[in-house]
Amino acid sequence: MMIIYGSVVSPFVRKLLGFLGEKGLTFELQGVGIGDPDPGFRAASPLGKMPAMDDDGFLLADSSAIIQYLEAKYPEPALIPADPQERGKVIWWEEFGDTVFAACSGKIFFNRIVAPKFLGREGDLAAAALAESEELPKLLDYLENAIPASGFLVGGRLTLADLAVASPLMNFRHCGNGVDPAIHPKIAAWSEAILSRPSMAPWIAKEERMMAKVLAG
């Protein structure tokens, strides 16, 4: 049995869970938190970052590394295209999702929710406010103009690109920064379609129940 270590509120874990669902792979999610001492998690993730994987004894960390491994092991359905140009675009969008979009959402989500609610300390609210006012609008404007009429970022069908870029939007939503359909209608429609897919919807529901309890407390 494949074990995935991580938390459903992580955009990187969320992306991986969607990928696994689209592949139809069986796995067990082992919940871990930041700096979790779980020995299985620490063995799989030397840096203590999520997600991590134990695939029948093969240990690997980092969502992108795990996805590349699984795409090679289970090539169908293909979520990373073979076509050189489409593959390049998918890799670009995953990079955008992981290092730009998720970084922006992280500044807001970590400082407003993770630090006070999970770690019991004050977050950097100035950094969160700056990300919200300066970074986020530019990123959303870029994405709004980039979504094709097909409703998928690359190749007219679902790819890793859609999963990687839609995932951080959940963290924005938890902070009250949900997409405004009046301003970004294409993002609103596209993200709703991706996040409501059978591969994502059960995890989103579980995450929203958990976050409701955390925020209420």
Side-chain angles (χ1 to χ4, degrees):
M1 171 69 77
M2 183 191 307
I3 299 173
I4 300 297
Y5 296 95
S7 168
V8 291
V9 301
S10 161
F12 310 109
V13 174
R14 194 182 300 117
K15 172 186 70 171
L16 176 57
L17 294 175
F19 180 90
L20 288 162
E22 295 292 338
K23 288 287 186 181
L25 299 176
T26 301
F27 64 96
E28 174 190 339
L29 178 64
Q30 180 75 39
V32 295
I34 297 174
D36 201 298
D38 181 277
F41 170 56
R42 302 299 292 198
S45 181
L47 301 180
K49 295 184 177 180
M50 64 180 79
M53 176 195 71
D54 182 341
D55 185 21
D56 290 328
F58 177 67
L59 306 180
L60 192 62
D62 183 81
S63 62
S64 297
I66 294 169
I67 283 171
Q68 290 290 335
Y69 161 76
L70 293 173
E71 182 75 12
K73 187 175 181 180
Y74 305 101
E76 297 296 333
L79 295 177
I80 301 175
D83 176 83
Q85 293 186 1
E86 290 186 356
R87 177 173 290 199
K89 292 299 289 184
V90 166
I91 292 171
W92 150 249
W93 278 118
E94 186 185 22
E95 181 71 8
F96 174 86
D98 283 2
T99 65
V100 180
F101 217 27
C104 180
S105 75
K107 292 174 187 176
I108 302 172
F109 184 68
F110 181 87
N111 288 307
R112 291 182 179 168
I113 294 180
V114 176
K117 296 293 186 178
F118 289 91
L119 303 180
R121 61 181 175 83
E122 185 177 344
D124 186 341
L125 298 181
L130 187 63
E132 179 183 31
S133 63
E134 297 295 327
E135 295 180 35
L136 181 56
K138 296 174 184 177
L139 297 178
L140 291 176
D141 288 346
Y142 168 74
L143 180 59
E144 176 73 14
N145 291 323
I147 296 174
S150 68
F152 298 103
L153 289 175
V154 178
R157 62 183 181 84
L158 182 85
T159 65
L160 172 61
D162 299 292
L163 303 175
V165 180
S167 284
L169 286 170
M170 281 304 302
N171 295 79
F172 288 120
R173 187 185 299 179
H174 293 319
C175 300
N177 297 102
V179 177
D180 185 344
I183 301 175
H184 299 106
K186 289 201 293 182
I187 299 178
W190 162 81
S191 62
E192 179 61 28
I194 300 303
L195 295 172
S196 64
R197 291 178 68 86
S199 64
M200 299 285 279
W203 298 110
I204 298 295
K206 179 179 180 179
E207 174 183 352
E208 288 181 326
R209 289 192 298 270
M210 185 184 83
M211 288 304 302
K213 292 180 180 178
V214 169
L215 296 175

